[in-house]
């Protein structure tokens, strides 16, 4: 079939699904989006291309689609993409930013679509390995809550061991019981080993000791392989035509064959506005300069296991180990000599003290030690790779010794990622940007952990677009990126730059407006204060007074969004006694319980007001009476002390550009559009949005922000 015929057939499948869906309204915008998806995916060349033998260069095709709330974007991309994948003998990979959307796709949207499409298809959820339990670790911990056997006891990092030593006896006993119950439930088949399917998912410090991880996993050589939840789930992926993953997994597994190959599948990135930030997180790195006893343990394990397997490369491990320990101590000392006064002068209540390296230009005295560190880490890693290779060969040849060999493999694998982090961080810190090039962000932190003073070094790229262009788009043939908020101040340019697609000839954009009549359904109330929002203390006092006045009139559901914990705390403290029972505060209850209580109150005809921050500002679906008012306490500018943002702003100023106009305002516009988007969720909703920040209507950049918001009826209110 030609690309045109493929696209037409995919659209016919979409139309058939819409027609077969009982009570479903045909939406012009949804059909428009489905057409673009079909065109994009039908024109991409998939699979290997041999240009040397005369085959044409592969055609890349990427669409960036903003689909307003209510368009029904999941059906608009799922139906044509799946129909095309089935026709072309390939697969669809859908990546989201949140677990909530993953669950909606897997538990609701895809099952409904599978029941309506003429061709059957299978779908599966892909999660990172760490979401699943490691049966070997669980069995080891279920007996005592700690490691049982000598030689396995040191699989924990020293800070974890210190935490265990301080743990009260009753807490240790509770943890033993928890692990034992988990092990029993798993063995009976009553639990599938997925952290997210537990009734109450455990806190990270409880889950981490039993979580599966790649560095210590021996795969098919593990004695528990036949009962491994992670590999069972991997088998489901093999037979699935549609795989639902997340942005973290997509970027962390590039080149690892965990997900379909990107040059031979159809890629959909939903909630795509999160992709740039995820990319920066994935490619940032850090290393601890203070807690270094793990190096000696890794060295002794490497020597012991390497000697057992007669690995020649272990000869230099003592030298590399000694050099690493000495160099880290030297680096910690130099950092404190250069930056100690700045680090010690910062208040500890706000987390680790931090100092950023201006322009990414490290002090001369740090260069040589970092070079030594990188070289020693690389030599040590080479030796560990040789040991790992020998262990895998031994497991293959001696399956009856798999358990013993798996334990040896894990003993190295548990600590090897720390060595890899040292190597990666040292390399990025040493990266010296040529004149005019973009430097990496580099910074050091200081914090007190019990009796330890912990110094860490950090580095990160500052342009997500460059990172994505090099690591993701170079491999992708056909992709659709979509979200309700991809334009900023009315334009796609900011997102395209952030995502690495600006100037990419393979990329097209489409804006599909929401079907909602915002002017009739909602009102934006610009409630001004006398105080300037930049004067935090005066502004917060006045804003809280106005907020309490307004939420006192809430009849059903409402959402208040704060820009800082301190701001939210002051509002909670100011609540009159009668109003305290009406307000639900983020983190006072687990999110699911808080939202359940909110729904119950509204359904009973009672008022209920949620106080939340950024994570409640997007992805929260509270239609109808559940959210008749949204209160935005202040324009949601990003925190001013982010070292990556600081480094980027510094670079922009150095090349004659304005970071506020080019970076801060567009990023705030997307965040504000998400917050405002909590108000109108269906065609029948009526809602009010209050914003107490007068900069929205009084400044030129505020006017830019307004252009990016739905066309609500605007009311301006003078200070109370």
């Amino acid at each position: 079939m030609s690309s045109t015929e493929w696209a037409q057939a995919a659209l016919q499948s979409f139309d058939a699904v819409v027609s077969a869906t009982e009570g479903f309204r045909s939406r012009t915008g949804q059909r428009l989006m489905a057409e673009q998806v079909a065109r994009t995916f039908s024109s991409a060349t998939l699979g290997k291309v041999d240009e040397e033998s005369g085959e044409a260069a592969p055609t890349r095709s990427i669409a960036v689609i903003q689909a307003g709330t209510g368009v029904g974007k999941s059906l608009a991309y799922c139906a044509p993409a799946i129909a095309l994948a089935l026709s072309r003998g390939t697969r669809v990979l859908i990546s989201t930013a949140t677990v909530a959307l993953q669950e909606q796709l897997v538990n609701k949207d895809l099952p409904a679509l599978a029941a309506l499409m003429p061709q059957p298809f299978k779908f599966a959820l892909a999660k990172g390995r760490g979401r699943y339990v490691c049966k070997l670790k669980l069995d080891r911990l279920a007996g005592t809550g700690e490691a049982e056997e000598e030689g396995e006891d040191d699989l924990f990092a020293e800070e974890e061991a210190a935490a265990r030593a301080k743990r009260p006896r009753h807490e240790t006993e509770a943890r033993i019981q928890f692990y034992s119950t988990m092990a029993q439930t798993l063995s009976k088949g009553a639990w599938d080993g997925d952290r997210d399917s537990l009734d109450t998912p455990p806190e990270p410090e409880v889950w981490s000791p039993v979580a599966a991880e790649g560095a210590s996993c021996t795969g098919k050589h593990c004695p528990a392989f036949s009962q491994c939840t992670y590999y069972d789930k991997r088998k489901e992926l093999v037979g699935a035509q549609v795989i639902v993953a997340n942005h973290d997994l997509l970027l962390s597994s590039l080149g690892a064959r965990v997900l379909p190959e990107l040059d031979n599948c159809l890629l959909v990135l939903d909630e795509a506005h999160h992709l740039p930030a995820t990319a920066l997180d994935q490619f940032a790195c850090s290393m601890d300069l203070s807690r270094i006893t793990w190096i000696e343990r890794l060295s002794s394990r490497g020597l012991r296991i390497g000697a057992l397997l007669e690995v020649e490369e272990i000869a230099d491990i003592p030298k590399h180990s000694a050099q690493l320990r000495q160099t880290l101590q030297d680096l910690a000392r130099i950092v404190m000599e250069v930056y100690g006064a700045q680090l010690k002068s910062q208040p500890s209540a706000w987390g680790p003290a931090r100092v950023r390296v201006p322009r990414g230009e490290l002090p001369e005295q740090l260069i040589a030690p970092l070079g030594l560190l990188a070289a020693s880490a690389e030599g040590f890693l080479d030796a560990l790779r040789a040991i790992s290779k020998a262990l895998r060969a031994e497991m293959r040849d001696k399956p009856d010794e798999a358990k013993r060999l798996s334990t040896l493999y894990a003993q190295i694998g548990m600590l090897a990622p720390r060595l890899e982090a040292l190597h990666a961080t040292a390399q990025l810190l040493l990266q010296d940007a040529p004149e005019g090039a973009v430097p990496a962000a580099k910074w050091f932190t200081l914090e007190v952990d019990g009796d330890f003073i912990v110094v860490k070094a950090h580095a990160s790229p500052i342009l997500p677009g460059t990172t994505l262009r090099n690591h993701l788009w170079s491999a992708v043939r056909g992709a659709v990126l979509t979200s309700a908020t991809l334009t900023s101040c009315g334009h796609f340019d900011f997102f395209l730059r952030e995502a690495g697609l600006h100037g990419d000839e393979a990329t097209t954009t489409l804006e599909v407006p929401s079907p909602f009549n915002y002017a009739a359904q909602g009102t934006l109330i610009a409630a001004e204060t006398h105080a300037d929002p930049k004067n935090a203390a005066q502004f917060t006092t006045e804003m809280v007074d106005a907020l309490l006045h307004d939420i006192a009139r809430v009849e059903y559901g409402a959402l208040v969004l704060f820009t800082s914990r301190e701001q939210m705390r002051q509002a909670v403290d100011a609540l009159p006694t009668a109003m305290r029972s009406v307000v639900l505060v983020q983190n006072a209850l687990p999110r699911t319980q808080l939202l359940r209580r909110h729904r119950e109150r509204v359904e009973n005809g009672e008022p209920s007001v949620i106080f939340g921050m950024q994570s409640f500002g997007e992805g929260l679906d509270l239609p109808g009476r559940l959210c008749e008012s949204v209160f935005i306490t202040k324009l949601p500018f990003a925190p001013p002390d982010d070292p990556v943002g600081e480094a980027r702003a510094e670079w922009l100023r150095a090349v004659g550009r304005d970071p506020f106009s080019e970076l801060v305002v567009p990023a705030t516009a997307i965040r504000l559009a998400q917050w405002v988007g909590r108000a109108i969720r269906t065609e029948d909703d009526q809602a009010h949005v209050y914003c107490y920040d007068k900069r929205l209507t009084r400044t030129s950049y505020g006017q830019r922000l307004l252009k990016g918001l739905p066309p609500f009826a605007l009311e301006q209110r003078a200070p109370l």
Side-chain angles (χ1 to χ4, degrees), residues 6 21 57 251 318 340 393 476 492 495 504 511 533 585 687 715:
W6 271 329
T21 305
L251 296 178
V476 169
F492 279 103
F495 175 75
D504 189 327
E511 184 174 356
V585 182
E715 285 184 17

Side-chain angles (χ1 to χ4, degrees), residues 125 281 323 408 467:
L125 178 61
D281 286 343
Q323 185 69 70
L408 297 178
T467 301

Side-chain angles (χ1 to χ4, degrees), residues 530-675:
H530 291 291
D532 188 322
K534 292 180 182 177
N535 186 333
Q538 289 182 21
F539 170 77
T540 300
T541 300
E542 191 177 345
M543 178 276 294
V544 167
D545 287 343
L547 173 67
L548 297 184
H549 173 270
D550 290 330
I551 65 174
R553 296 181 293 172
V554 167
E555 294 183 23
Y556 295 102
L559 174 65
V560 184
L561 293 168
F562 295 90
T563 56
S564 73
R565 293 189 185 281
E566 176 60 19
Q567 194 188 53
M568 185 164 73
R569 184 195 64 75
Q570 289 187 42
V572 170
D573 288 348
L575 285 170
T577 305
M579 205 179 286
R580 289 181 179 271
S581 61
V582 172
V583 173
L584 294 165
V585 182
Q586 180 180 350
N587 295 333
L589 289 171
R591 184 183 174 109
T592 51
Q593 287 182 34
L594 184 147
L595 294 176
R596 189 186 312 124
R597 188 169 295 184
H598 177 73
R599 289 188 176 92
E600 289 169 355
R601 286 180 178 179
V602 175
E603 286 165 5
N604 291 333
E606 303 168 13
S608 182
V609 181
I610 296 173
F611 278 15
M613 294 179 58
Q614 172 61 30
S615 62
F616 275 60
E618 61 177 286
L620 200 60
D621 191 23
L622 298 171
R625 287 182 166 180
L626 291 173
C627 188
E628 292 188 324
S629 299
V630 173
F631 300 90
I632 296 171
T633 57
K634 199 173 186 179
L635 291 176
F637 290 106
D641 59 349
D642 164 44
V644 178
E646 283 179 0
R648 188 169 176 183
E650 179 182 66
W651 170 71
L652 286 170
R653 283 191 292 269
V655 294
R657 290 154 66 179
D658 176 17
F660 185 76
S661 179
E662 190 173 324
L663 185 63
V664 176
V665 173
T668 303
I670 289 178
R671 197 175 297 113
L672 182 62
Q674 281 285 340
W675 285 24

Side-chain angles (χ1 to χ4, degrees), residues 69 516 518 521-522 676-683 685-687 712:
T69 308
F516 301 158
Y518 283 104
Q521 290 182 252
V676 169
R678 298 314 98 208
I680 304 289
R681 307 302 298 172
T682 75
E683 290 165 339
D685 285 1
Q686 294 283 330
F712 289 113

Side-chain angles (χ1 to χ4, degrees), residues 342-364:
Q342 289 173 263
L343 288 167
K344 290 176 180 177
S345 66
Q346 297 175 33
S348 59
W350 304 104
R354 180 175 65 228
V355 61
R356 186 178 60 82
V357 179
R359 300 172 300 284
E361 297 172 359
L362 287 173
E364 187 65 34

